[in-house]
Amino acid sequence: MKNKNSMFMRGFTVIEILVVLLIFSVAMLGGMKLLKITVQGNDHAEDLLNAISWGKSTVENLKMAPLYKPDTGEYNDDIFGERVHPADVGVASGSNVFFYRSWTVYPISGSDSKRVEVKIWWDDKGTTRYYATTFIKGRNSG
């Protein structure tokens, strides 16, 4: 006589295994997509950190530069001329991303102070990203 429970004790069928593998594969694809998004976010955050660092360094260097030349008392037009100062290029250490930097000097009406805007930009897989910061430079500021 055959045991009624013997048909439940044979194991999994091929169809059941294939269904489980399909479900597992779909779940893994979702995880891989999440991993890809995380890596892209980390890359962008690293680029932004490099841009901010170079921008802050530029601001500090410009703040230390005299608005008027100490030896002649003439306006320091080379650095603080009211124009867009041409971009230069830098590469972050350990990266192949090129960062571009320029600054623009704007007059402040009724004052000999200047508003200086520093811009850093880079190409992020076909999209131009940028970081900009502004400060006021006066005769006695530094």
Side-chain angles (χ1 to χ4, degrees), residues 67 75-85 103-106 114-115:
L67 191 59
Y75 182 69
N76 196 348
D77 194 54
D78 296 340
I79 298 173
F80 295 106
E82 295 173 5
R83 64 184 182 275
V84 177
H85 293 261
W103 65 90
T104 308
V105 180
Y106 301 97
K114 306 293 180 185
R115 183 172 65 88

Side-chain angles (χ1 to χ4, degrees), residues 38-51:
T38 302
V39 168
Q40 288 173 342
N42 286 342
D43 287 345
H44 175 69
E46 180 181 3
D47 291 344
L48 183 60
L49 181 62
N50 287 326

Side-chain angles (χ1 to χ4, degrees), residues 21-126:
L21 286 174
L22 177 68
I23 292 170
F24 183 72
S25 298
V26 169
M28 288 303 294
L29 286 175
M32 295 304 286
K33 177 72 173 174
L34 181 62
L35 180 63
K36 179 183 174 188
I37 290 171
T38 302
V39 168
Q40 288 173 342
N42 286 342
D43 287 345
H44 175 69
E46 180 181 3
D47 291 344
L48 183 60
L49 181 62
N50 287 326
I52 289 171
S53 176
W54 200 22
K56 297 278 186 192
S57 174
T58 302
V59 165
E60 291 306 315
N61 288 335
L62 290 172
K63 282 182 175 180
M64 290 174 47
L67 191 59
Y68 293 90
K69 296 177 182 176
D71 51 343
T72 63
E74 295 176 2
Y75 182 69
N76 196 348
D77 194 54
D78 296 340
I79 298 173
F80 295 106
E82 295 173 5
R83 64 184 182 275
V84 177
H85 293 261
D88 58 352
V89 182
V91 179
S93 60
S95 170
N96 60 354
V97 176
F98 291 96
F99 293 88
Y100 303 90
R101 168 184 66 180
S102 71
W103 65 90
T104 308
V105 180
Y106 301 97
I108 298 175
S109 45
S111 170
D112 65 348
S113 297
K114 306 293 180 185
R115 183 172 65 88
V116 182
E117 180 180 55
V118 175
K119 293 180 184 176
I120 310 289
W121 68 96
W122 68 100
D123 179 65
D124 183 12
K125 297 175 183 77

